Structures are given as structure tokens and as C-alpha cells.
């Protein structure tokens, strides 16, 4: 086992206790994790409110706005980040406490409106269900008359972002969105924010071999979650798992033509860091401008430990405002 210089979070790790049940479902240990209620009154630095997306799918959105904007009679509109939570497409929710705290800090520290999507989980709803839900979220954003969106969001400066499987979701939803920009107007997507994206493949990378027994995200758990979320009958070189398979998506050319920028972060003790680096190389080979933020740490550390998050928020802020100017 590789040495681990950074202590992993101490909690009842749901990635290690996924129990498959009859009827194409699982027992989720993550359901016991603390949930956060929305706070529309603004007792903290960020106000939050939930809105339904599609009640037939039990999907919804949590909106985050820096409270200072709500006190301004003529608020300046902010860039908007459509955020997708992590959990291997199998665990967690938009209102899971650690992701709610992360989104609040993202809104306050970056200076953006954030909308977090509650999407359908696998294996009950295998991919591309979550990608479909992300596109539903963009359709809602395109047509909504929601007061907060109308007052605080600059729809010409939209970013798709997420952590872990949420980074995978942002990437794949981005590929779809890049192919249908006219249909999404007045939304104008400026780029993607891929925070420790959840990618892998059939062939083991050096970081997967080195960190195969990682305490937070061991390789057997990565494989299990991809087995549960990918379409039945496909292997781990499917495009939903391995973005580099078969030379990558043709829609990367659309991203380049649109001038999108992509922010990718990774950590040295993350088993998936080499897969993220491979995605970076692919995008750069396609001519896409990539902002890289790789350093010490473990998978999704900024979500699990806010004391490690300041540098990420600063880098994400620099990226969002630089990309917004183009």
C-alpha cells in the first residue's frame, strides 16, 4: 500500500459498504449522513432555496446566492455555476451536508450564484440518466422566471462544474451542451469546472496501482460504482467512464470552436488523478484551453475538509472571472 501523507476523513464511508439488493437497487450507507436544510432567510453568508425540477423523476435544484446581493436594491449579476455533487453516481444528494457547505463556500468565495442539481442515482437509474437530468436543469435555466435567477444570475456567464462523479457529469453534460448551443440560448456556457473528476478505464493507471488501497476511495470501490452506474453490458472503456477512449468525443471540437475554457483539479494521493491528467492531455490536444490545478492531497479533499479548500476557491475564482471576460 502506498504511504498516505494526508489523513482521510473519519466517517462511515459509504463507498466501502455498498450492498447490492434484489430488484436492481442497493443499500446506501450514505443515507445516514447529515442533510442540510435550505436557508432562504439568510442567517449565514449565503441564502439558499430549493425548487422542483421534475417531480416525476424526484429531481430538484438548490439555489445559492451570496446574502450581500439580496440586500442590494440594484445587485450586480454574477456568473452562474451549475454544480453536480459527487458520490460515484450511487451515493449522496444535493442536500448532503458536506456538499451543501461546499456550495455555500463556492458561492461566497468565488462570487457566483450556484445551482446544485439533485439528480437520479444508479443503479436504479443508470447513466445516461444523470446526464439527462443535467440537461433538464439547463432547460429549466433557459426558461425560468425564478426571481433569484432573474435578479442575480448573468446567463451569459454560465459554467458547468462538479466534484468527482459530478465532474464526470459536468464533462459529459458539457459535451451535449456544446452540440446544442443555439437551443440553449440565452444561456451562454463559458466553460467547465472539473473538481477531481471521476474517470477510469480498463487499463490501470500508475496512480490507480499506487493508491489501489486508498482508505477513502480504494480501487475496488471505484470499479464497483462504475459497474453500478454504467449501462449494462459495457466495459470500463465506455465513453461515460473513459473520456479518452477511441480518441475522445467529437464534441470536443465543438467546445474548442466555442472557445470554452476548462478548469481541472486533482490531488497526488487520488487513485483517479492520472485519469484526470489523461483527460487534460486529450483536451489540450484538441486545442481547448485548460487551467490545471494539481497538487497535494486526496480525492475530493476540499469537500471533506474545508480547512483545505481556500486555494481551490481562489483558483476557481480566478478561472471563472478570466473565462467570463472572453
Amino acid at each position: 500500500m502506498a504511504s498516505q501523507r494526508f489523513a482521510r476523513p473519519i466517517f462511515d464511508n459509504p463507498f466501502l459498504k455498498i450492498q447490492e439488493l434484489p430488484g436492481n437497487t442497493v443499500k446506501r450507507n450514505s443515507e445516514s449522513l447529515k442533510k442540510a436544510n435550505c436557508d432562504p432567510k439568510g442567517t449565514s453568508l449565503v441564502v439558499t432555496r430549493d425548487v422542483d425540477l421534475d417531480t416525476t423523476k424526484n429531481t430538484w435544484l438548490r439555489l445559492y446566492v451570496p446574502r450581500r446581493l439580496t440586500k442590494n436594491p440594484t445587485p450586480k449579476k454574477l456568473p452562474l455555476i451549475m454544480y453536480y455533487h459527487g458520490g460515484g453516481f450511487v451515493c449522496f444528494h444535493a442536500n448532503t451536508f458536506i456538499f451543501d457547505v461546499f456550495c455555500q463556500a463556492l458561492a461566497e468565495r468565488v462570487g457566483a450564484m450556484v445551482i446544485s442539481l439533485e439528480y437520479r442515482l444508479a443503479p436504479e437509474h443508470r447513466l445516461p440518466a444523470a446526464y439527462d437530468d443535467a440537461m433538464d436543469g439547463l432547460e429549466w435555466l433557459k426558461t425560468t422566471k425564478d426571481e433569484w435567477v432573474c435578479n442575480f444570475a448573468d446567463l451569459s456567464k454560465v459554467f458547468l462544474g462538479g466534484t468527482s462523479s459530478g465532474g464526470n457529469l459536468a464533462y459529459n453534460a458539457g459535451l451535449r451542451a456544446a452540440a446544442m448551443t443555439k437551443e440553449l440560448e440565452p444561456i451562454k456556457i463559458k466553460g467547465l469546472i472539473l473538481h477531481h473528476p471521476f474517470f477510469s478505464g480498463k487499463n490501470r493507471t500508475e496512480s490507480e496501482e499506487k493508491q489501489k488501497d486508498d482508505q477513502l476511495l480504494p480501487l475496488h470501490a471505484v470499479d464497483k460504482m462504475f459497474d453500478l452506474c454504467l449501462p449494462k453490458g459495457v466495459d470500463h472503456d465506455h465513453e461515460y467512464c473513459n473520456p479518452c477512449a477511441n480518441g475522445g468525443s467529437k464534441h470536443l471540437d465543438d467546445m474548442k470552436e466555442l472557445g470554452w475554457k476548462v478548469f481541472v483539479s486533482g490531488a497526488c494521493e487520488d487513485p483517479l488523478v492520472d485519469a484526470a491528467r489523461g483527460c487534460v492531455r486529450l483536451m489540450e490536444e484538441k486545442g481547448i484551453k485548460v487551467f490545471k490545478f494539481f497538487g497535494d492531497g486526496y480525492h475530493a479533499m476540499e469537500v471533506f475538509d474545508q480547512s483545505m479548500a481556500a486555494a481551490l476557491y481562489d483558483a476557481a475564482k480566478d478561472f471563472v472571472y478570466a473565462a467570463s471576460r472572453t
Side-chain angles (χ1 to χ4, degrees), residues 30-76:
S30 62
E31 296 303 319
S32 63
L33 293 179
K34 184 178 178 182
K35 302 285 178 59
N37 294 324
C38 61
D39 182 16
K41 299 296 185 181
T43 56
S44 62
L45 293 175
V46 175
V47 291
T48 61
R49 181 164 55 84
D50 295 343
V51 298
D52 288 333
L53 180 57
D54 188 332
T55 55
T56 67
K57 299 176 182 177
N58 292 319
T59 56
W60 49 271
L61 302 160
R62 176 160 290 185
L63 282 55
Y64 297 81
V65 174
R67 181 161 59 107
R68 53 188 163 75
L69 260 70
T70 66
K71 305 299 183 182
N72 189 333
T74 56
K76 178 184 178 181

Side-chain angles (χ1 to χ4, degrees), residues 93-246:
H93 298 279
N95 61 356
T96 298
F97 184 77
I98 54 175
F99 289 106
D100 181 74
V101 170
F102 184 78
C103 285
Q104 288 193 46
L106 195 64
E108 174 62 23
R109 294 290 298 272
V110 172
M113 181 173 181
V114 176
I115 299 181
S116 181
L117 170 69
E118 173 70 3
Y119 56 85
R120 291 171 293 171
L121 298 178
E124 297 87 350
H125 305 281
R126 289 175 177 265
L127 296 174
Y131 306 154
D132 295 340
D133 296 341
M135 300 312 293
D136 287 348
L138 291 177
E139 286 292 333
W140 175 88
L141 184 63
K142 166 186 169 180
T143 60
T144 187
K145 303 300 181 186
D146 181 88
E147 181 181 5
W148 284 12
V149 173
C150 293
N151 289 343
F152 307 129
D154 184 343
L155 296 188
S156 71
K157 299 174 182 177
V158 174
F159 295 82
L160 310 185
T163 298
S164 189
S165 57
N168 175 311
L169 202 168
Y171 179 82
N172 281 284
L175 292 173
R176 289 192 187 187
M180 53 180 295
T181 53
K182 291 294 184 184
E183 294 92 324
L184 290 175
E185 290 178 352
I187 295 171
K188 186 173 182 181
I189 296 172
K190 289 290 190 177
L192 310 178
I193 301 172
L194 312 183
H195 176 222
H196 299 195
F198 187 63
F199 295 132
S200 188
K202 284 175 62 177
N203 297 325
R204 294 306 186 201
T205 65
E206 182 179 344
S207 64
E208 285 177 330
E209 291 286 3
K210 185 177 180 181
Q211 300 291 342
K212 63 183 178 181
D213 297 319
D214 183 77
Q215 293 173 338
L216 174 67
L217 192 65
L219 200 51
H220 71 83
V222 173
D223 288 343
K224 169 64 74 175
M225 287 185 285
F226 272 120
D227 288 343
L228 290 170
C229 74
L230 289 173
K232 288 186 177 181
V234 307
D235 63 29
H236 289 194
D237 273 343
H238 190 277
E239 62 183 323
Y240 297 164
C241 179
N242 183 356
C244 300
N246 301 313

Side-chain angles (χ1 to χ4, degrees), residues 300-319:
M301 62 184 185
E302 295 93 348
V303 170
F304 291 105
D305 185 350
Q306 282 291 302
S307 71
M308 305 177 79
L312 174 70
Y313 296 138
D314 290 344
K317 179 178 181 178
D318 290 345
F319 166 74

